[in-house]
Amino acid sequence: MSAFSRLWRRAPLWRWSLYGSVGFLGLAALYPTPFMLRHAPWLAHVPGTTAPASPSSGGSPPSSDAQQSGAAQQPGNSPDRVAAPSMNASFVGSVPFNGHTLPLPAGTWHPVLTGQVGPGGVQLFNILARTDRGVVTGVIIARTTTRPLPADATAGLDDTCHDDRNFAARVMSDGQNGVRECWSVAESTGSANELITTAFQRLHTFGFPVSPLYVTAVWLRATTTKDGSTDVNAVDTLLAPVRPGSTELIAPLAVWTKTELPNAPLAQNFVRGTTKWMTNWVGVLREGMTHGLSSGTVPDELARDPAAP
Protein backbone atom coordinates (compact mmCIF):
# COMPACT_ATOMS: atom_id res chain seq x y z
CA MET A 1 0.00 0.00 0.00
CA SER A 2 1.40 3.38 -1.00
CA ALA A 3 1.89 6.30 1.38
CA PHE A 4 -0.94 8.19 -0.35
CA SER A 5 -3.32 5.25 0.10
CA ARG A 6 -2.46 4.95 3.80
CA LEU A 7 -2.94 8.71 4.27
CA TRP A 8 -6.26 8.53 2.43
CA ARG A 9 -7.53 5.76 4.75
CA ARG A 10 -6.17 7.11 8.02
CA ALA A 11 -6.74 10.91 7.66
CA PRO A 12 -10.45 11.60 7.10
CA LEU A 13 -10.09 15.34 7.78
CA TRP A 14 -7.43 15.63 5.11
CA ARG A 15 -9.63 13.61 2.75
CA TRP A 16 -12.57 15.94 3.32
CA SER A 17 -10.34 18.97 2.82
CA LEU A 18 -9.56 17.67 -0.67
CA TYR A 19 -13.27 17.27 -1.36
CA GLY A 20 -13.88 20.81 -0.12
CA SER A 21 -11.07 22.33 -2.19
CA VAL A 22 -12.59 20.93 -5.39
CA GLY A 23 -15.99 22.36 -4.44
CA PHE A 24 -14.59 25.79 -3.59
CA LEU A 25 -12.60 25.91 -6.82
CA GLY A 26 -15.85 25.28 -8.68
CA LEU A 27 -17.60 28.08 -6.82
CA ALA A 28 -14.69 30.43 -7.51
CA ALA A 29 -15.02 29.73 -11.25
CA LEU A 30 -18.78 30.28 -11.22
CA TYR A 31 -18.63 33.46 -9.11
CA PRO A 32 -15.22 35.04 -9.79
CA THR A 33 -14.07 38.04 -7.77
CA PRO A 34 -12.94 41.27 -9.50
CA PHE A 35 -9.32 40.32 -8.68
CA MET A 36 -9.73 36.98 -10.44
CA LEU A 37 -11.41 38.58 -13.47
CA ARG A 38 -8.58 41.08 -13.79
CA HIS A 39 -5.95 38.33 -13.88
CA ALA A 40 -8.07 35.68 -15.64
CA PRO A 41 -10.62 37.51 -17.83
CA TRP A 42 -11.55 34.24 -19.54
CA LEU A 43 -13.56 33.39 -16.41
CA ALA A 44 -16.18 35.89 -17.58
CA HIS A 45 -16.88 33.51 -20.49
CA VAL A 46 -17.46 30.39 -18.35
CA PRO A 47 -21.08 29.29 -19.00
CA GLY A 48 -23.34 30.16 -16.11
CA THR A 49 -20.99 32.67 -14.51
CA THR A 50 -22.11 36.07 -13.28
CA ALA A 51 -19.62 38.91 -13.04
CA PRO A 52 -19.71 40.25 -9.46
CA ALA A 53 -20.64 43.86 -8.81
CA SER A 54 -18.31 45.99 -6.72
CA PRO A 55 -19.79 47.12 -3.39
CA SER A 56 -19.11 50.70 -4.44
CA SER A 57 -20.71 50.37 -7.84
CA GLY A 58 -24.19 51.00 -6.50
CA GLY A 59 -26.68 48.81 -8.33
CA SER A 60 -26.75 45.75 -10.53
CA PRO A 61 -24.89 46.05 -13.81
CA PRO A 62 -25.98 44.20 -16.94
CA SER A 63 -25.25 40.48 -17.00
CA SER A 64 -21.89 39.37 -18.34
CA ASP A 65 -23.56 37.54 -21.25
CA ALA A 66 -25.06 40.79 -22.50
CA GLN A 67 -21.81 42.63 -21.85
CA GLN A 68 -19.71 40.21 -23.82
CA SER A 69 -22.11 39.84 -26.72
CA GLY A 70 -22.78 43.55 -27.08
CA ALA A 71 -26.54 42.94 -27.12
CA ALA A 72 -28.72 46.02 -26.82
CA GLN A 73 -30.14 46.76 -23.38
CA GLN A 74 -33.64 48.25 -23.25
CA PRO A 75 -34.79 48.67 -19.65
CA GLY A 76 -38.56 48.64 -19.30
CA ASN A 77 -40.26 50.31 -22.23
CA SER A 78 -37.38 52.71 -22.90
CA PRO A 79 -36.78 53.41 -26.61
CA ASP A 80 -33.08 53.93 -25.87
CA ARG A 81 -30.67 51.43 -27.37
CA VAL A 82 -27.62 50.84 -25.18
CA ALA A 83 -25.00 48.20 -25.96
CA ALA A 84 -22.12 46.89 -23.88
CA PRO A 85 -19.43 45.72 -26.34
CA SER A 86 -16.68 43.30 -25.45
CA MET A 87 -13.99 45.16 -23.55
CA ASN A 88 -11.41 42.93 -25.20
CA ALA A 89 -11.66 45.23 -28.23
CA SER A 90 -9.07 48.01 -28.34
CA PHE A 91 -8.51 51.23 -30.26
CA VAL A 92 -5.46 53.42 -30.73
CA GLY A 93 -5.41 56.87 -32.34
CA SER A 94 -9.06 57.21 -33.32
CA VAL A 95 -12.38 55.43 -33.70
CA PRO A 96 -15.19 55.97 -36.27
CA PHE A 97 -18.17 57.84 -34.83
CA ASN A 98 -21.35 58.84 -36.68
CA GLY A 99 -19.61 59.18 -40.03
CA HIS A 100 -16.75 61.20 -38.57
CA THR A 101 -13.70 60.40 -36.45
CA LEU A 102 -13.39 60.50 -32.67
CA PRO A 103 -9.71 61.26 -31.93
CA LEU A 104 -8.26 59.35 -28.98
CA PRO A 105 -5.54 60.57 -26.62
CA ALA A 106 -2.38 58.48 -26.26
CA GLY A 107 -2.71 54.88 -25.09
CA THR A 108 -5.01 51.94 -25.76
CA TRP A 109 -8.74 52.52 -25.33
CA HIS A 110 -11.51 49.97 -24.78
CA PRO A 111 -15.25 50.33 -25.46
CA VAL A 112 -17.43 50.39 -22.33
CA LEU A 113 -20.87 51.51 -23.51
CA THR A 114 -22.28 52.73 -26.79
CA GLY A 115 -25.71 53.44 -28.15
CA GLN A 116 -28.45 55.81 -29.23
CA VAL A 117 -30.71 57.63 -26.78
CA GLY A 118 -33.32 60.37 -26.67
CA PRO A 119 -36.52 60.85 -28.69
CA GLY A 120 -36.14 58.96 -31.94
CA GLY A 121 -32.53 58.13 -31.09
CA VAL A 122 -31.51 61.75 -31.53
CA GLN A 123 -28.20 61.36 -29.68
CA LEU A 124 -25.39 58.89 -30.29
CA PHE A 125 -22.91 58.29 -27.51
CA ASN A 126 -19.70 56.34 -27.07
CA ILE A 127 -17.91 55.74 -23.76
CA LEU A 128 -14.37 54.35 -23.77
CA ALA A 129 -11.78 53.72 -21.07
CA ARG A 130 -7.99 53.63 -21.07
CA THR A 131 -6.10 51.41 -18.65
CA ASP A 132 -2.51 51.24 -17.50
CA ARG A 133 -1.31 48.34 -15.34
CA GLY A 134 -4.94 47.42 -14.71
CA VAL A 135 -5.99 50.88 -13.48
CA VAL A 136 -8.35 53.20 -15.40
CA THR A 137 -6.33 56.31 -16.31
CA GLY A 138 -8.84 57.92 -18.63
CA VAL A 139 -12.48 57.84 -19.72
CA ILE A 140 -13.96 59.44 -22.85
CA ILE A 141 -17.65 60.32 -23.14
CA ALA A 142 -18.46 61.39 -26.70
CA ARG A 143 -21.88 62.59 -27.86
CA THR A 144 -23.24 63.74 -31.20
CA THR A 145 -26.69 64.38 -32.64
CA THR A 146 -28.16 62.38 -35.50
CA ARG A 147 -30.36 65.33 -36.51
CA PRO A 148 -30.62 68.98 -35.42
CA LEU A 149 -32.24 69.70 -32.06
CA PRO A 150 -34.92 72.38 -31.58
CA ALA A 151 -33.68 75.64 -30.09
CA ASP A 152 -35.38 75.11 -26.71
CA ALA A 153 -33.55 71.79 -26.27
CA THR A 154 -30.14 73.46 -26.42
CA ALA A 155 -30.74 76.33 -24.01
CA GLY A 156 -27.91 76.48 -21.46
CA LEU A 157 -25.93 73.91 -23.41
CA ASP A 158 -22.63 75.70 -22.83
CA ASP A 159 -23.22 76.59 -19.16
CA THR A 160 -20.40 74.27 -18.14
CA CYS A 161 -17.91 76.62 -19.80
CA HIS A 162 -19.09 79.51 -17.63
CA ASP A 163 -18.91 77.75 -14.26
CA ASP A 164 -16.86 79.75 -11.73
CA ARG A 165 -15.50 76.50 -10.27
CA ASN A 166 -13.62 75.62 -13.48
CA PHE A 167 -9.84 75.48 -13.28
CA ALA A 168 -9.75 76.91 -16.79
CA ALA A 169 -12.15 77.69 -19.63
CA ARG A 170 -12.21 79.35 -23.01
CA VAL A 171 -15.07 80.45 -25.26
CA MET A 172 -13.91 80.25 -28.87
CA SER A 173 -17.19 81.27 -30.45
CA ASP A 174 -20.23 82.73 -28.72
CA GLY A 175 -22.72 82.43 -31.56
CA GLN A 176 -20.76 84.03 -34.39
CA ASN A 177 -21.84 82.52 -37.71
CA GLY A 178 -24.25 80.31 -35.78
CA VAL A 179 -21.48 78.48 -33.88
CA ARG A 180 -21.10 78.12 -30.13
CA GLU A 181 -17.83 76.46 -29.17
CA CYS A 182 -15.98 76.31 -25.87
CA TRP A 183 -13.90 74.10 -23.61
CA SER A 184 -13.25 73.86 -19.89
CA VAL A 185 -11.17 72.01 -17.32
CA ALA A 186 -12.65 71.10 -13.92
CA GLU A 187 -12.60 68.36 -11.27
CA SER A 188 -15.18 65.58 -11.12
CA THR A 189 -15.90 63.03 -8.40
CA GLY A 190 -19.10 61.52 -9.78
CA SER A 191 -22.08 61.94 -12.09
CA ALA A 192 -25.85 61.73 -11.80
CA ASN A 193 -26.07 60.68 -15.46
CA GLU A 194 -27.40 57.12 -15.66
CA LEU A 195 -25.29 56.16 -18.67
CA ILE A 196 -22.06 57.37 -17.05
CA THR A 197 -22.95 55.59 -13.80
CA THR A 198 -23.62 52.39 -15.73
CA ALA A 199 -20.28 52.70 -17.55
CA PHE A 200 -18.39 52.98 -14.26
CA GLN A 201 -20.39 50.07 -12.83
CA ARG A 202 -19.21 47.98 -15.75
CA LEU A 203 -15.60 48.93 -15.11
CA HIS A 204 -16.07 47.93 -11.46
CA THR A 205 -17.66 44.65 -12.53
CA PHE A 206 -14.67 43.65 -14.64
CA GLY A 207 -12.28 44.48 -11.83
CA PHE A 208 -10.76 47.71 -13.12
CA PRO A 209 -9.93 50.09 -10.23
CA VAL A 210 -10.97 53.69 -10.84
CA SER A 211 -9.71 56.94 -9.40
CA PRO A 212 -11.78 58.69 -6.69
CA LEU A 213 -11.43 61.91 -8.71
CA TYR A 214 -10.87 62.90 -12.32
CA VAL A 215 -9.75 66.13 -13.94
CA THR A 216 -12.30 66.55 -16.72
CA ALA A 217 -11.67 68.40 -19.98
CA VAL A 218 -14.93 69.24 -21.75
CA TRP A 219 -15.24 70.32 -25.40
CA LEU A 220 -18.54 71.46 -26.87
CA ARG A 221 -19.50 72.67 -30.33
CA ALA A 222 -23.07 73.59 -31.31
CA THR A 223 -23.93 74.72 -34.86
CA THR A 224 -27.25 76.42 -35.56
CA THR A 225 -28.89 75.67 -38.92
CA LYS A 226 -30.93 78.10 -41.03
CA ASP A 227 -34.21 76.99 -39.44
CA GLY A 228 -32.91 77.69 -35.93
CA SER A 229 -32.29 74.07 -34.90
CA THR A 230 -28.86 72.96 -33.65
CA ASP A 231 -26.36 70.17 -34.31
CA VAL A 232 -24.28 69.31 -31.25
CA ASN A 233 -20.92 67.58 -30.77
CA ALA A 234 -19.39 67.16 -27.32
CA VAL A 235 -16.49 65.19 -25.86
CA ASP A 236 -15.67 64.87 -22.15
CA THR A 237 -12.20 63.50 -21.39
CA LEU A 238 -11.70 62.35 -17.79
CA LEU A 239 -8.05 62.08 -16.74
CA ALA A 240 -6.98 60.30 -13.55
CA PRO A 241 -4.38 62.24 -11.51
CA VAL A 242 -3.02 59.08 -9.85
CA ARG A 243 0.32 57.45 -9.20
CA PRO A 244 1.31 54.85 -11.87
CA GLY A 245 -0.40 51.50 -11.39
CA SER A 246 -2.43 52.79 -8.43
CA THR A 247 -5.65 54.65 -7.61
CA GLU A 248 -3.79 56.82 -5.09
CA LEU A 249 -4.16 60.48 -6.00
CA ILE A 250 -0.95 62.47 -6.49
CA ALA A 251 -2.38 65.01 -4.01
CA PRO A 252 -5.07 64.72 -1.29
CA LEU A 253 -8.70 64.79 -2.42
CA ALA A 254 -9.41 68.03 -0.56
CA VAL A 255 -6.96 70.13 -2.58
CA TRP A 256 -8.61 69.56 -5.97
CA THR A 257 -10.60 72.79 -5.87
CA LYS A 258 -9.95 76.14 -7.48
CA THR A 259 -9.21 77.78 -4.12
CA GLU A 260 -6.98 75.03 -2.68
CA LEU A 261 -5.08 74.12 -5.85
CA PRO A 262 -2.30 76.75 -5.39
CA ASN A 263 -1.35 75.00 -2.11
CA ALA A 264 -0.69 71.66 -3.84
CA PRO A 265 2.14 71.86 -6.43
CA LEU A 266 1.63 68.34 -7.82
CA ALA A 267 -2.09 68.89 -8.35
CA GLN A 268 -1.48 72.34 -9.79
CA ASN A 269 1.07 70.97 -12.28
CA PHE A 270 -1.38 68.27 -13.39
CA VAL A 271 -4.16 70.81 -13.97
CA ARG A 272 -1.77 73.15 -15.80
CA GLY A 273 -0.63 70.24 -17.95
CA THR A 274 -4.24 69.32 -18.75
CA THR A 275 -5.06 72.93 -19.65
CA LYS A 276 -2.02 73.22 -21.92
CA TRP A 277 -2.83 69.87 -23.56
CA MET A 278 -6.48 70.82 -24.08
CA THR A 279 -5.50 74.11 -25.72
CA ASN A 280 -3.99 72.12 -28.59
CA TRP A 281 -6.18 69.01 -28.43
CA VAL A 282 -9.41 70.96 -29.04
CA GLY A 283 -8.35 71.61 -32.64
CA VAL A 284 -7.93 67.85 -33.19
CA LEU A 285 -11.37 67.20 -31.69
CA ARG A 286 -12.98 69.84 -33.89
CA GLU A 287 -11.41 68.47 -37.06
CA GLY A 288 -12.24 64.86 -36.30
CA MET A 289 -15.80 65.40 -35.07
CA THR A 290 -16.89 67.82 -37.81
CA HIS A 291 -14.99 66.79 -40.95
CA GLY A 292 -12.81 63.80 -40.13
CA LEU A 293 -9.04 63.84 -39.63
CA SER A 294 -7.43 65.02 -42.87
CA SER A 295 -4.19 63.19 -42.10
CA GLY A 296 -6.00 60.09 -40.88
CA THR A 297 -3.84 59.98 -37.75
CA VAL A 298 -3.38 61.94 -34.53
CA PRO A 299 0.09 63.47 -33.99
CA ASP A 300 1.77 61.83 -30.98
CA GLU A 301 2.84 65.14 -29.46
CA LEU A 302 -0.78 66.37 -29.42
CA ALA A 303 -2.25 63.09 -28.17
CA ARG A 304 -0.12 62.78 -25.01
CA ASP A 305 -2.14 64.04 -22.04
CA PRO A 306 -0.80 64.33 -18.45
CA ALA A 307 -2.33 60.95 -17.44
CA ALA A 308 -1.09 59.04 -20.49
CA PRO A 309 0.84 55.80 -19.83
Side-chain angles (χ1 to χ4, degrees):
M1 182 181 293
S2 67
F4 179 84
S5 299
R6 289 195 298 271
L7 184 61
W8 182 265
R9 293 171 61 88
R10 297 178 184 179
L13 288 177
W14 176 78
R15 188 166 64 243
W16 281 106
S17 70
L18 287 180
Y19 290 146
S21 65
V22 173
F24 284 119
L25 283 173
L27 288 173
L30 289 173
Y31 304 99
T33 65
F35 176 84
M36 293 175 63
L37 284 173
R38 187 159 67 251
H39 293 279
W42 54 268
L43 285 173
H45 299 273
V46 175
T49 61
T50 301
S54 166
S56 60
S57 64
S60 300
S63 68
S64 60
D65 288 343
Q67 290 168 334
Q68 292 299 327
S69 66
Q73 309 295 313
Q74 290 188 241
N77 296 318
S78 171
D80 297 344
R81 293 182 294 172
V82 180
S86 170
M87 291 183 64
N88 291 328
S90 60
F91 303 99
V92 175
S94 64
V95 61
F97 187 46
N98 194 30
H100 298 301
T101 303
L102 172 61
L104 301 175
T108 302
W109 295 82
H110 307 279
V112 182
L113 282 182
T114 187
Q116 200 165 353
V117 297
V122 69
Q123 184 183 89
L124 291 175
F125 75 92
N126 202 351
I127 302 179
L128 304 102
R130 177 182 65 193
T131 61
D132 178 34
R133 281 163 272 191
V135 176
V136 176
T137 61
V139 176
I140 289 176
I141 305 160
R143 304 172 301 282
T144 187
T145 49
T146 58
R147 63 180 184 276
L149 298 172
D152 58 353
T154 60
L157 192 66
D158 53 355
D159 284 354
T160 183
C161 293
H162 303 282
D163 194 322
D164 291 339
R165 295 169 294 182
N166 289 338
F167 295 132
R170 181 182 174 189
V171 176
M172 291 170 287
S173 179
D174 197 16
Q176 295 88 347
N177 299 318
V179 175
R180 283 180 288 165
E181 184 175 11
C182 64
W183 60 268
S184 62
V185 176
E187 60 86 19
S188 173
T189 56
S191 173
N193 183 285
E194 184 178 357
L195 290 172
I196 298 174
T197 301
T198 301
F200 274 88
Q201 286 176 348
R202 191 162 192 245
L203 290 170
H204 278 297
T205 297
F206 281 91
F208 292 105
V210 299
S211 170
L213 174 142
Y214 286 88
V215 173
T216 303
V218 175
W219 170 74
L220 170 74
R221 182 181 172 90
T223 306
T224 303
T225 61
K226 292 182 179 180
D227 63 0
S229 55
T230 304
D231 286 310
V232 178
N233 289 301
V235 178
D236 298 356
T237 306
L238 285 63
L239 304 177
V242 296
R243 302 187 187 281
S246 166
T247 57
E248 180 187 358
L249 295 172
I250 59 175
L253 188 64
V255 306
W256 295 91
T257 65
K258 192 173 182 178
T259 54
E260 293 295 328
L261 197 65
N263 301 321
L266 289 178
Q268 189 174 50
N269 288 341
F270 189 93
V271 170
R272 284 175 175 171
T274 302
T275 302
K276 181 179 179 181
W277 170 74
M278 191 62 178
T279 302
N280 298 310
W281 184 244
V282 67
V284 180
L285 287 174
R286 183 190 306 115
E287 182 183 4
M289 292 289 284
T290 56
H291 307 295
L293 295 173
S294 57
S295 64
T297 59
V298 178
D300 291 341
E301 63 275 14
L302 298 181
R304 183 155 297 278
D305 62 83

